[in-house]
Amino acid sequence: GAGVSQSPRYKVAKRGQDVALRCDPISGHVSLFWYQQALGQGPEFLTYFQNEAQLDKSGLPSDRFFAERPEGSVSTLKIQRTQQEDSAVYLCASSLLAGFSGANVLTFGAGSRLTVL
Amino acid sequence: AQRVTQPEKLLSVFKGAPVELKCNYSYSGSPELFWYVQYSRQRLQLLLRHISRESIKGFTADLNKGETSFHLKKPFAQEEDSAMYYCALRREYGNKLVFGAGTILRVKS
């Protein structure tokens, strides 16, 4: 597609439910990032994939959060046993090249807004 | 750890007035600094980066390593500049961006 596509755009979950958020990056993009953006805050890094390899997951807040990109394209962020503090917008971004510098620009998706009741 | 601080949550100026959005960072190495913008109902997008030394939509930003700042400036604000602006840092050899909390710019007519 022309841009980074995320689904669902909005998700309401009851506390304790599992959720899965999907990201379709731009075709051919090597790098894929997940960010979490709480209300009134800037995006915070969660995890980074280079093709199918998850090279950095230092931002995942707990072991309830899991991300995968099995074929190096579509990625899924899964949150198990959701808590109210998980309520946020989850942003996916991709870039053409590995690493991040110079002309290697991040393209962001519109985000998935998760509300945990 | 790296940190980006944007001290103003909201900056309100009149059309035609100069604009300066402040950004300070803490990082001991040689960072890359970026400004991202999010217009109403649009996605986050790159505005400019310090290594390009470019002017985009009339905006410029200079990296001041002595003051650890990367303030965004525009001499004459336009109404279409109204948006949320985020300053972001990438450390050398890193891959992730560290964002500030953002500043809402409102340009009044």
Side-chain angles (χ1 to χ4, degrees), chain B:
Chain B
Q2 311 94 57
R3 173 179 268 183
V4 176
T5 303
Q6 294 179 250
E8 303 136 328
K9 281 204 173 295
L10 171 65
L11 183 64
S12 189
V13 302
F14 283 102
K15 177 181 166 183
V19 171
E20 183 179 50
L21 298 169
K22 291 186 167 50
C23 172
N24 289 89
Y25 66 91
S26 61
Y27 177 60
S28 56
S30 294
E32 277 190 81
L33 274 295
F34 304 81
W35 277 99
Y36 278 78
V37 61
Q38 189 166 25
Y39 300 103
S40 179
R41 298 189 191 86
Q42 294 189 27
R43 304 173 182 203
L44 196 59
Q45 58 186 287
L46 177 67
L47 180 63
L48 55 79
R49 48 189 182 258
H50 89 271
I51 58 172
S52 300
R53 295 188 165 274
E54 56 199 345
S55 172
I56 303 293
K57 299 184 179 183
F59 284 98
T60 58
D62 290 318
L63 178 59
N64 186 324
K65 291 188 177 180
E67 296 182 358
T68 60
S69 68
F70 188 57
H71 303 326
L72 183 68
K73 300 177 183 178
K74 185 169 182 176
F76 308 104
Q78 300 173 337
E79 288 180 74
E80 55 264 33
D81 296 329
S82 295
M84 173 71 93
Y85 291 80
Y86 294 97
C87 183
L89 173 152
R90 184 186 77 94
R91 62 178 176 83
E92 55 195 336
Y93 310 119
N95 50 55
K96 65 186 179 188
L97 288 174
V98 176
F99 285 87
T103 299
I104 299 170
L105 174 63
R106 285 206 189 120
V107 182
K108 301 175 288 188
S109 57

